[in-house]
Amino acid sequence: MQLPSTLLENAVAEFSKLPGIGKKTALRLVLHLLKQDTEVTTHFSEILQKMRKEIKFCQRCYNISDGTICSICANSGRQKNTICVVENIRDVIAIENTQQFNGTYHVLGGIISPLDGIGPEQLTINPLIERVKNEEVNELVFALNPNIQGDTTIYYIQKKLAKSQCIITTIARGIAFGGELEYADEMTLGKSISNRQPIQQYIK
Amino acid sequence: MQLPSTLLENAVAEFSKLPGIGKKTALRLVLHLLKQDTEVTTHFSEILQKMRKEIKFCQRCYNISDGTICSICANSGRQKNTICVVENIRDVIAIENTQQFNGTYHVLGGIISPLDGIGPEQLTINPLIERVKNEEVNELVFALNPNIQGDTTIYYIQKKLAKSQCIITTIARGIAFGGELEYADEMTLGKSISNRQPIQQYIK
């Protein structure tokens, strides 16, 4: 695609670097900004830069935060002795949206994946071990994606906490609501049969 | 969707203002920027602001340009006496990509649409009339979307140029290549029969 201006071309190239944005979409976005007043673009840029420069990570759970401690950790109404361990910030947002969890979180910043060169040192596993020791944590709920890397991470942390009294659980795995048995993979269907649960839990 | 930080929320809100970007996509884009170095966001913002502030419109054809005259108008190899009239810059880019047109362009900046409050004064119609008079233009090729507003715009400009010697044409309308007759609307199919063309034009 030949563009009539280098300035336009550079702006389109910058937008295309973002995930899921191709050259055509980038051009649409840039032409949209061109249609608006100059202030719109200035404001957009300033908000982004301010966000990138000033955003902090909670010193306790590594969630995104405006201050040194995030709003979830600072909330006295939340159970501090139940920690949900997640891979990234998006998972925190997803679980918060369910309004089903009243504990605090711990964001690992990734999962152990030797193929991608990510070992336990690159993640916030040591701070998590410290938290379990110091904060009298009763339960660690792992909410990691159910794949080999996720299971490896759970196994690694479990080993590290072998001497601790803390209960380690993981979110339930099985057939999703609205899913069809016919199309479920064998692994999920098999596990959902062997881990069958009393019906009272679901019909309330 | 409850976000854990006001800075994050503002950045997501800014991205969601762009066309075709919802809140979830915006969050993905912002978290992507957060993963990168601060310089990436700074560079992105600066390129956008520079583009918005410094971009110019060609004084001759109103196409986007880095200077006062765009690269197409400045190109001596292009026929100055054939002008293709388009609605916006995206149409210029689309036609340029076909490599089938060697004339110059005129960007109207919209089409006459009384319902949206757009009359001839809001568009670059007067400069176009001036160009036809002053530049010895032989042919005006209208490449507007085939709808009522497009046809109204063509009719209006045609009336204004009634005394001129300039030939007025429009891009061919009919069944698209790869299209199926069965699914074509009656208007298109009807017109494509009444405007049938000698087969030699297509089989070369």
Side-chain angles (χ1 to χ4, degrees), chain B residues 185-204:
Chain B
D185 61 296
E186 286 167 20
M187 177 92 171
T188 305
L189 191 54
K191 283 278 178 190
S192 79
I193 289 171
S194 58
N195 295 334
R196 59 190 176 278
Q197 291 157 322
I199 198 74
Q200 289 91 320
Q201 274 179 254
Y202 293 104
I203 306 174
K204 280 184 194 172

Side-chain angles (χ1 to χ4, degrees), chain A residues 1-8 10-11 14-15 17-21 25 27-38 40-57 63-66 70-72 89-90 92-93 96-97, chain B residues 1-8 10-11 14-15 17-21 25 27-38 40-57 63-66 70-72 89-90 92-93 96-97:
Chain A
M1 192 162 52
Q2 191 73 36
L3 295 180
S5 144
T6 322
L7 289 164
L8 191 74
N10 290 344
E14 277 302 308
F15 259 118
K17 283 180 193 165
L18 298 175
I21 306 243
T25 310
L27 180 65
R28 205 178 67 221
L29 299 180
V30 172
L31 291 180
H32 169 83
L33 287 178
L34 262 181
K35 260 194 186 171
Q36 318 281 313
D37 290 336
T38 316
V40 173
T41 309
T42 314
H43 184 70
F44 176 74
S45 309
E46 281 169 0
I47 289 278
L48 279 192
Q49 290 198 57
K50 188 178 156 72
M51 182 276 299
R52 187 62 191 86
K53 278 177 191 155
E54 295 182 14
I55 218 159
K56 291 185 187 72
F57 292 92
N63 187 9
I64 275 180
S65 167
D66 286 342
C70 76
S71 54
I72 296 173
I89 299 143
R90 239 176 310 178
V92 175
I93 297 168
E96 279 298 285
N97 282 339
Chain B
M1 192 161 53
Q2 192 72 36
L3 295 182
S5 145
T6 323
L7 288 165
L8 191 73
N10 291 344
E14 277 302 308
F15 260 118
K17 283 180 193 164
L18 298 175
I21 307 242
T25 310
L27 180 65
R28 204 177 67 222
L29 299 181
V30 172
L31 290 181
H32 168 84
L33 286 178
L34 263 180
K35 261 194 185 171
Q36 319 280 314
D37 290 336
T38 316
V40 173
T41 309
T42 314
H43 184 71
F44 176 74
S45 310
E46 281 169 359
I47 290 279
L48 279 193
Q49 291 199 57
K50 189 178 155 74
M51 181 276 300
R52 187 62 191 85
K53 279 177 190 155
E54 295 183 12
I55 218 159
K56 292 186 186 74
F57 292 91
N63 187 10
I64 275 180
S65 167
D66 286 343
C70 77
S71 53
I72 296 173
I89 298 144
R90 239 176 310 177
V92 175
I93 297 169
E96 279 299 284
N97 283 338

Side-chain angles (χ1 to χ4, degrees), chain A residues 68-107:
Chain A
T68 49
I69 295 291
C70 76
S71 54
I72 296 173
C73 288
N75 185 343
S76 60
R78 306 201 57 138
Q79 294 166 4
K80 296 287 187 298
N81 48 16
T82 307
I83 296 178
C84 180
V85 183
V86 294
E87 186 181 334
N88 57 44
I89 299 143
R90 239 176 310 178
D91 298 332
V92 175
I93 297 168
I95 296 174
E96 279 298 285
N97 282 339
T98 68
Q99 300 187 324
Q100 293 289 317
F101 182 68
N102 194 33
T104 54
Y105 292 91
H106 190 89
V107 180

Side-chain angles (χ1 to χ4, degrees), chain A residues 13 17 19 43 54 63 66 77 113 115 151 163 169 183 188:
Chain A
K17 283 180 193 165
H43 184 70
E54 295 182 14
N63 187 9
D66 286 342
S113 172
L115 272 181
D151 289 347
K163 287 174 195 162
T169 57
Y183 301 118
T188 305

Side-chain angles (χ1 to χ4, degrees), chain A residues 117-133:
Chain A
I118 301 173
E121 316 75 42
Q122 271 95 52
L123 310 175
T124 62
I125 289 182
N126 285 333
L128 175 63
I129 309 289
E130 288 301 309
R131 273 182 79 182
V132 173
K133 280 183 193 159

Side-chain angles (χ1 to χ4, degrees), chain A residues 159-177:
Chain A
K159 274 255 177 180
K160 282 257 184 187
L161 290 172
K163 287 174 195 162
S164 138
Q165 295 292 313
C166 168
I167 301 163
I168 293 179
T169 57
T170 171
I171 49 167
R173 295 163 184 190
I175 308 290
F177 284 94

